[in-house]
């Protein structure tokens, strides 16, 4: 693998297993990272190119012979018709083939070994109820020659499902996804299939459902959305979150790295997208009801314009042309009357549908508000009821604390009041005993005092007399000595 295949300015590059991504086609994936968890040994990575430029990327299942997904970005629809040239990839079936160009199946039969062993062929769809439905429709591609008309970009679809799938894709791109992603330069698209057990001619798996994942990578205003459409005719396209879509796919892959910046997604833009999706779903329901009521619906003709052109049928016979020429005015008149009646009925039904939808939306809004108010009321009541036991417990604790404080203060007061009489009674009771015991001591003290006083008086008197006597004696002694000395002769 890794060879460049080219035809008339268009080419397809098969990416080898040694490459982790899609090579030059990694730019069609958010953050340059393909979905993780989908690639297996039976899957082939293809970088689809046209006119020397990469157009989109495809992961192709050689076991189911249908694409697992196709990745593209910023679709630029181009006016005009498409040249229907369904081509095959020679190197998918024969890796050693010398052919380096995508070629028609008729040319590959004689030059490619094991042609059709790993990929679907045009002959697989012949004489079956299925058409080749493109995952990346030609109506969304600016290349109307080769790029999208490869069998590696197609899966079996019934005509009615193919019409509705293309209508859904174009409506979502034009009215919802591209307008809510700026100019669309940062819009990444994945469209894929999930195979069922049913196979066309026991070779090509019929999808159980097809899916679409969109990632808008505008900084600060991005978003991610997913869509699922089952192949049952009665089912309409469903909007899902990308995480929920990943759960529906095999191996639970991650379609966008970091879920397309999940933490910074703009919910307001997603709401606007969902509003448009609801309109697309309503239009599809109305189209289904009109198809079931009349096979000549103008809506069917409008959707059929999105399909790839089919080969013209064989020429009619001369008689048939003559009868057709004669009957054409009457048929046109009948069709005109029929279209007028259908248009009037369609407008009436649409008006009734709009009125009914508005009434239902009003009732739903009232019921929603009533329900929200009721739920809020019951939640508030529930919160109050739950908080009552706690509040009662807090009040009881506070009351018990207050009672204990009152009792403590009362006991302190009683103790203080009782402490005064006890001291007085003790003093009164001990007063006589102290008084009687003090009388002898007082009397003793009085007697001792009186005795001491008398002794002091006697001591004073005798001391005074003794002193006087000594003085007198001393005086007389001096005088007598002196006389004796002076008159010693006489004496």
């Amino acid at each position: 693998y890794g060879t460049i295949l080219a035809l008339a300015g268009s080419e397809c590059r098969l990416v080898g297993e040694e490459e982790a991504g899609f090579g030059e086609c990694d730019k069609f994936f958010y953050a340059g990272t393909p979905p993780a968890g989908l690639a297996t040994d039976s899957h082939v990575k293809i970088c689809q190119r046209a006119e020397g430029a990469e157009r989109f990327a495809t992961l192709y299942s050689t076991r189911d012979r249908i694409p697992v997904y196709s990745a593209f970005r910023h679709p630029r629809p181009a006016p005009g018709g498409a040249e229907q040239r369904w081509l095959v990839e020679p190197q998918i079936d024969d890796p050693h083939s010398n052919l380096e160009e995508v070629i028609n199946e008729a040319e590959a039969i004689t030059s490619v070994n094991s042609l059709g062993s790993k990929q679907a062929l045009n002959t697989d769809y012949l004489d079956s109820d299925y058409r080749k439905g493109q995952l990346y429709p030609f109506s969304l591609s600016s290349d109307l020659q080769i790029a999208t008309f490869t069998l590696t970009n197609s899966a079996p679809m019934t005509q009615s499902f193919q019409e509705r799938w293309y209508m859904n894709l174009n409506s979502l791109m034009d009215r919802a996804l591209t307008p809510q992603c700026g100019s669309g330069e940062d819009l990444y698209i994945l469209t894929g299939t999930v195979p069922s057990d049913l196979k066309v001619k026991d070779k090509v798996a019929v999808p159980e459902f097809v899916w679409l994942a969109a990632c808008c990578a505008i900084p600060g205003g991005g978003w991610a959305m997913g869509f699922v459409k089952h192949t049952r005719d009665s089912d309409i396209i469903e909007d899902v979150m990308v995480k929920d879509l990943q759960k529906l796919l095999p191996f639970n892959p991650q379609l966008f790295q970091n879920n397309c910046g999940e933490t910074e997604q703009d919910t307001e833009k997603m709401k606007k997208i969902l509003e448009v999706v609801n309109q697309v779903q309503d239009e599809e329901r109305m189209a289904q009801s009109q198809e079931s009521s009349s096979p000549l619906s103008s809506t069917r003709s409008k959707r059929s314009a999105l399909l790839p052109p089919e080969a013209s049928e064989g020429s009619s016979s001369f008689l048939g042309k003559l009868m057709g020429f004669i009957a054409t005015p009457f048929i046109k008149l009948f069709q005109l009357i029929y279209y007028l009646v259908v248009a009037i009925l369609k407008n009436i039904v649409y008006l009734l549908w709009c009125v009914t939808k508005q009434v239902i939306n009003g009732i739903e809004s009232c019921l929603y508000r009533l329900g929200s108010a009721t739920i809020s009321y019951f939640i508030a009541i529930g919160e109050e009821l739950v908080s009552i036991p706690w509040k009662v417990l807090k009040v009881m604790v506070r009351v018990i604390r207050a009672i204990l404080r009152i009792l403590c203060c009362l006991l302190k007061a009683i103790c203080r009041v009782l402490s005064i009489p006890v001291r007085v009674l003790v003093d009164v009771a001990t007063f006589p005993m102290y008084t009687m015991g003090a009388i002898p001591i007082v009397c003793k003290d009085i007697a001792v005092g009186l005795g001491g006083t008398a002794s002091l008086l006697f001591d004073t008197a005798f001391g005074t007399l003794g002193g006087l006597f000594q003085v007198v004696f001393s005086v007389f002694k001096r005088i007598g000595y002196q006389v004796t000395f002076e008159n010693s002769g006489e004496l």
Side-chain angles (χ1 to χ4, degrees):
Y1 293 165
T3 305
I4 302 297
L5 307 179
L7 176 64
S10 299
E11 54 191 24
C12 170
R13 182 174 185 269
L14 303 183
V15 182
E17 294 181 358
E18 67 275 4
E19 297 187 27
F22 284 73
E24 297 171 343
C25 282
D26 281 344
K27 64 183 180 180
F28 296 108
F29 300 96
Y30 172 71
T33 305
L38 283 175
T40 64
D41 294 338
S42 62
H43 293 167
V44 177
K45 300 174 183 177
I46 305 175
C47 183
Q48 309 275 11
R49 296 169 57 89
E51 298 179 357
E54 298 79 18
R55 298 299 177 176
F56 63 102
T58 300
L59 183 66
Y60 188 77
S61 173
T62 58
R63 181 188 62 187
D64 299 315
R65 304 184 188 185
I66 58 174
V68 179
Y69 63 77
S70 286
F72 56 97
R73 55 183 297 189
H74 190 215
R76 300 180 180 88
E83 179 183 357
Q84 184 178 356
R85 300 176 61 187
W86 293 101
L87 306 175
V88 296
E89 311 287 353
Q91 292 190 356
I92 290 182
D93 294 323
D94 186 5
H96 303 290
S97 174
N98 294 326
L99 293 174
E100 297 182 356
E101 300 176 347
V102 288
I103 59 176
N104 290 324
E105 181 180 338
E107 301 174 4
I109 292 176
T110 58
S111 56
V112 178
N113 297 325
S114 304
L115 182 64
S117 61
K118 294 183 179 180
Q119 67 176 313
L121 303 176
N122 286 288
T123 54
D124 294 330
Y125 290 88
L126 294 178
D127 300 325
S128 69
D129 297 329
Y130 295 94
R131 292 187 172 189
K132 297 179 283 292
Q134 298 167 317
L135 291 190
Y136 180 20
F138 77 96
S139 58
L140 297 180
S141 173
S142 58
D143 174 30
L144 299 181
Q145 301 299 321
I146 296 296
T148 62
F149 285 101
T150 58
L151 287 164
T152 53
N153 182 45
S154 303
M157 298 180 185
T158 62
Q159 180 179 355
S160 60
F161 178 80
Q162 186 185 34
E163 292 174 356
R164 289 186 285 112
W165 171 241
Y166 288 174
M167 182 185 72
N168 292 151
L169 285 179
N170 283 273
S171 297
L172 291 175
M173 289 295 180
D174 296 341
R175 298 160 54 185
L177 304 183
T178 303
Q180 296 301 326
C181 193
S183 61
E185 292 289 344
D186 297 310
L187 181 61
Y188 298 84
I189 304 295
L190 294 173
T191 54
T193 63
V194 173
S196 66
D197 296 331
L198 179 63
K199 292 188 176 182
V200 179
K201 296 184 178 180
D202 201 27
K203 291 183 180 180
V204 186
V206 177
E208 180 181 353
F209 64 86
V210 294
W211 55 270
L212 182 148
C215 169
C216 179
I218 295 178
W223 46 263
M225 291 290 296
F227 302 91
V228 174
K229 188 173 183 64
H230 289 269
T231 54
R232 294 185 295 268
D233 289 339
S234 59
D235 289 345
I236 63 173
I237 193 166
E238 303 174 10
D239 56 275
V240 294
M241 301 302 295
V242 173
K243 285 187 176 180
D244 298 329
L245 174 59
Q246 293 174 165
K247 295 177 182 178
L248 298 175
L249 303 180
F251 312 116
N252 192 18
Q254 185 178 25
L255 298 179
F256 301 111
Q257 187 181 32
N258 298 328
N259 292 323
C260 189
E262 183 179 14
T263 57
E264 299 179 357
Q265 292 182 0
D266 191 335
T267 56
E268 293 298 326
K269 291 184 178 180
M270 295 176 68
K271 290 180 181 179
K272 294 179 180 179
I273 293 174
L274 291 177
E275 292 177 359
V276 178
V277 171
N278 291 333
Q279 296 176 6
V280 173
Q281 292 172 340
D282 293 340
E283 292 172 359
E284 188 173 4
R285 292 189 187 96
M286 292 183 63
Q288 287 181 353
S289 63
Q290 290 176 2
E291 284 182 359
S292 61
S293 61
S294 173
L296 298 177
S297 173
S298 60
T299 304
R300 181 179 179 86
S301 299
K302 182 178 180 180
R303 290 181 302 169
S304 299
L306 300 174
L307 296 176
E310 301 292 339
S312 60
E313 300 178 354
S315 59
S316 303
S317 63
F318 175 76
L319 181 60
K321 291 182 178 180
L322 179 60
M323 294 299 295
F325 178 76
I326 296 174
T328 296
F330 299 99
I331 294 175
K332 293 296 183 180
L333 178 61
F334 175 77
Q335 288 180 345
L336 178 61
I337 296 173
Y338 174 78
Y339 289 148
L340 289 175
V341 173
V342 169
I344 293 173
L345 293 176
K346 177 182 177 181
N347 291 329
I348 293 174
V349 171
Y350 184 74
L351 178 62
L352 293 176
W353 170 254
C354 291
V355 173
T356 305
K357 184 179 179 181
Q358 292 297 327
V359 172
I360 293 174
N361 289 338
I363 295 174
E364 288 180 353
S365 177
C366 293
L367 292 177
Y368 175 77
R369 293 177 181 176
L370 179 61
S372 299
T374 304
I375 292 173
S376 301
Y377 176 73
F378 281 112
I379 289 175
I381 292 178
E383 291 177 351
E384 290 298 326
L385 292 176
V386 170
S387 64
I388 286 176
W390 172 248
K391 293 180 178 179
V392 171
L393 181 61
K394 290 174 67 177
V395 171
M396 291 179 63
V397 170
R398 291 179 180 177
V399 170
I400 292 172
R401 287 178 60 189
I403 293 174
L404 292 176
R405 287 181 179 178
I406 293 172
L407 291 176
C408 183
C409 294
L410 183 61
L411 289 175
K412 287 182 179 180
I414 292 174
C415 290
R416 290 179 180 178
V417 171
L418 292 178
S419 63
I420 297 174
V422 169
R423 291 179 182 177
V424 174
L425 291 176
V426 171
D427 292 340
V428 172
T430 57
F431 178 75
M433 182 177 62
Y434 287 137
T435 303
M436 296 302 294
I439 291 174
I441 296 172
V442 171
C443 293
K444 181 182 177 181
D445 292 338
I446 293 173
V448 171
L450 293 176
T453 303
S455 177
L456 180 61
L457 291 175
F458 282 116
D459 287 341
T460 302
F462 285 113
T464 303
L465 292 177
L468 291 175
F469 178 76
Q470 287 180 359
V471 170
V472 171
F473 179 76
S474 297
V475 170
F476 281 113
K477 187 178 179 179
R478 279 184 180 274
I479 295 175
Y481 175 77
Q482 185 176 7
V483 172
T484 300
F485 183 74
E486 291 178 354
N487 300 308
S488 58
E490 294 180 1
L491 293 174

